[in-house]
Amino acid sequence: EVQLVESGGGLVQPGGSLRLSCVASGFTFSSVFMSWVRQAPGKGLEWIGDIDVEEQKPVYADSVKGRFTISTDNAKNTLYLQLAGLTSEDTGMYYCVKEKPGSGAYDYWGQGTLLTVSS
């Protein structure tokens, strides 16, 4: 059974930093692309970026480029999202998402972790 379990969300002051984690199980972690997707309150889903876990090549949305970093620890089957320079616009639910190999489509989502950026 595929499971994606995010953690690390919370309340952060503007300008602060945080690291989100996503522990994956039930599939070969190193053979897929993994994505981070977020949803701000009252808004739609926004792709933040993804990473080829085997090749360790992350790609980012322009809105987060230079502030967010996607990485993995393949020994721990864990995906990370390091966030910095946070603003209130980064507030939302953050999801890690597994891509179905060869399709580019998402097949499994985590339950999400909530980040609130506020003073």
Side-chain angles (χ1 to χ4, degrees):
E1 178 188 6
V2 172
Q3 289 192 324
L4 301 170
V5 181
E6 299 100 331
S7 63
L11 176 63
V12 181
Q13 292 188 340
S17 300
L18 196 70
R19 189 178 76 166
L20 307 182
S21 301
C22 171
V23 179
S25 61
F27 63 98
T28 304
F29 185 65
S30 61
S31 67
V32 301
F33 280 71
M34 295 292 297
S35 294
W36 284 100
V37 175
R38 69 183 177 185
Q39 186 169 29
K43 296 188 177 181
L45 295 170
E46 178 189 12
W47 174 80
I48 296 172
D50 63 31
I51 185 168
D52 178 333
V53 176
E54 181 178 20
E55 299 293 330
Q56 294 291 298
K57 293 181 179 178
V59 178
Y60 302 95
D62 288 344
S63 60
V64 305
K65 198 174 294 182
R67 297 191 302 123
F68 291 7
T69 302
I70 296 174
S71 64
T72 67
D73 182 336
N74 290 6
K76 296 181 179 180
N77 282 4
T78 301
L79 174 72
Y80 299 105
L81 179 66
Q82 180 72 46
L83 306 93
L86 290 166
T87 74
S88 59
E89 294 189 352
D90 296 314
T91 293
M93 189 70 79
Y94 284 71
Y95 300 94
C96 75
V97 189
K98 173 183 171 294
E99 297 187 15
K100 184 177 181 181
S103 73
Y106 299 147
D107 56 0
Y108 290 95
W109 293 67
Q111 84 288 352
T113 186
L114 179 62
L115 169 64
T116 302
V117 182
S118 175
S119 57

